[in-house]
Amino acid sequence: MEKMAIFIVFEGIDGSGKSSTSISLQKIFEEKKIPSIVHQEPTRFQTGQRLRQFLSGNLNLTPQEELQLFIDDRKESVKLNIIPTLESGINVILDRYYFSTAAYQGNETRSPESILELNLKENFPVPDYLFYLDIDVEVALKRIQSNRNTLDRFETKEKLEKIRGNYRKILPNTTIYIDATQSQDKILKDILSHIPN
Ligand code: TYD
């Protein structure tokens, strides 16, 4: 039987290095002639574009609208990116998934656990590997500030501490924790040690 494509997800707070790690992993797969594509959430579709406007402070949404838009965007992500890629035998490396919604949109009114539950009810595909790039909030903020001078909606110490705490509440026990303060080479080595090839 043909080998099934694998579904890899990266999670972490802003500044944890998910995006560069996703791209580096894709390059390693390419060198090994293993087909893979990096997809991101929020997506590049219309729903994702609205979310980017919201994230940069150019669109106001109620908390309910915000949560709904992240879920609507995920439906597009699953339907138009994740499933077609996996079905064509190509590995998916996904930069953020529903664990982000639970961690970022979770609060006192709507718990991270209940948001995870909402997502699970949608029957979105379950990742084969879930990597959490773990980093202290202060280190992450320093990284963000050295890369650019504007901060997004969630990029304050208080908010990121809360988000990091929320991740701890909802990440399943199959999550693979990676120390994101290590060198990029070491991070990739750690990740690859978990993926059989
Ligand atoms: P991020 O991966 O940081 O993208 P970029 O590097 O392009 O800014 O994601 C953008 C922001 O979206 C990030 O602050 C987390 C937030 N986010 C949520 O609040 N909920 C979600 O469900 C997702 C997927 C992202």
Side-chain angles (χ1 to χ4, degrees):
M1 208 176 77
E2 205 176 319
K3 198 161 163 269
M4 292 282 289
I6 58 174
F7 180 22
I8 299 169
V9 170
F10 284 107
E11 288 284 355
I13 61 172
D14 297 72
S16 59
K18 292 170 295 70
S19 306
S20 43
T21 303
S22 302
I23 295 165
S24 304
L25 181 61
Q26 201 267 334
K27 288 205 180 111
I28 292 176
F29 280 152
E30 201 172 282
E31 282 160 15
K32 297 184 177 188
K33 308 265 183 284
I34 301 169
S36 68
I37 295 181
V38 177
H39 290 300
Q40 283 180 317
E41 293 188 11
T43 66
R44 293 174 198 282
F45 307 119
Q46 218 182 344
T47 42
Q49 285 170 20
R50 269 174 67 78
L51 282 168
R52 299 268 172 212
Q53 284 183 313
F54 163 74
L55 291 164
S56 58
N58 294 322
L59 174 72
N60 287 319
L61 296 173
T62 65
Q64 180 55 36
E65 287 169 336
E66 172 187 341
L67 175 60
Q68 192 55 53
L69 193 53
F70 276 110
I71 294 177
D72 289 347
D73 188 47
R74 180 151 309 113
K75 288 182 184 167
E76 298 289 276
S77 168
V78 167
K79 187 175 70 177
L80 301 171
N81 286 341
I82 301 170
I83 291 183
T85 306
L86 290 172
E87 282 184 348
S88 59
I90 299 171
N91 291 346
V92 169
I93 301 169
L94 184 62
D95 182 352
R96 294 197 184 281
Y97 202 29
Y98 48 72
F99 311 96
S100 284
T101 318
Y104 280 75
Q105 277 62 56
N107 53 36
E108 286 68 30
T109 329
R110 210 185 259 275
S111 70
E113 292 87 348
S114 71
I115 295 177
L116 183 67
E117 202 55 41
L118 267 184
N119 277 271
L120 294 177
K121 268 199 225 140
E122 297 288 340
N123 282 321
F124 294 132
V126 176
D128 296 306
Y129 298 94
L130 167 59
F131 291 103
Y132 178 75
L133 297 185
D134 199 13
I135 192 166
D136 275 351
V137 168
E138 290 196 5
V139 183
L141 274 173
K142 276 201 192 109
R143 277 194 189 175
I144 297 169
Q145 276 155 346
S146 66
N147 289 340
R148 56 185 150 90
N149 37 33
T150 56
L151 291 178
D152 268 358
R153 194 172 278 271
F154 299 111
E155 295 169 353
T156 66
K157 186 170 181 328
E158 296 67 31
K159 286 187 183 159
L160 288 182
E161 291 286 6
K162 194 96 194 101
I163 292 161
R164 190 165 184 238
N166 285 347
Y167 266 125
R168 286 174 193 274
K169 290 184 191 158
I170 55 91
L171 286 172
N173 49 23
T174 49
T175 307
I176 303 163
Y177 289 81
I178 303 287
D179 175 359
T181 60
Q182 305 177 101
S183 68
Q184 186 70 10
D185 277 358
K186 182 71 174 64
I187 290 173
L188 287 163
K189 218 170 144 209
D190 277 7
I191 291 167
L192 287 169
S193 74
H194 292 277
I195 304 172
N197 51 30

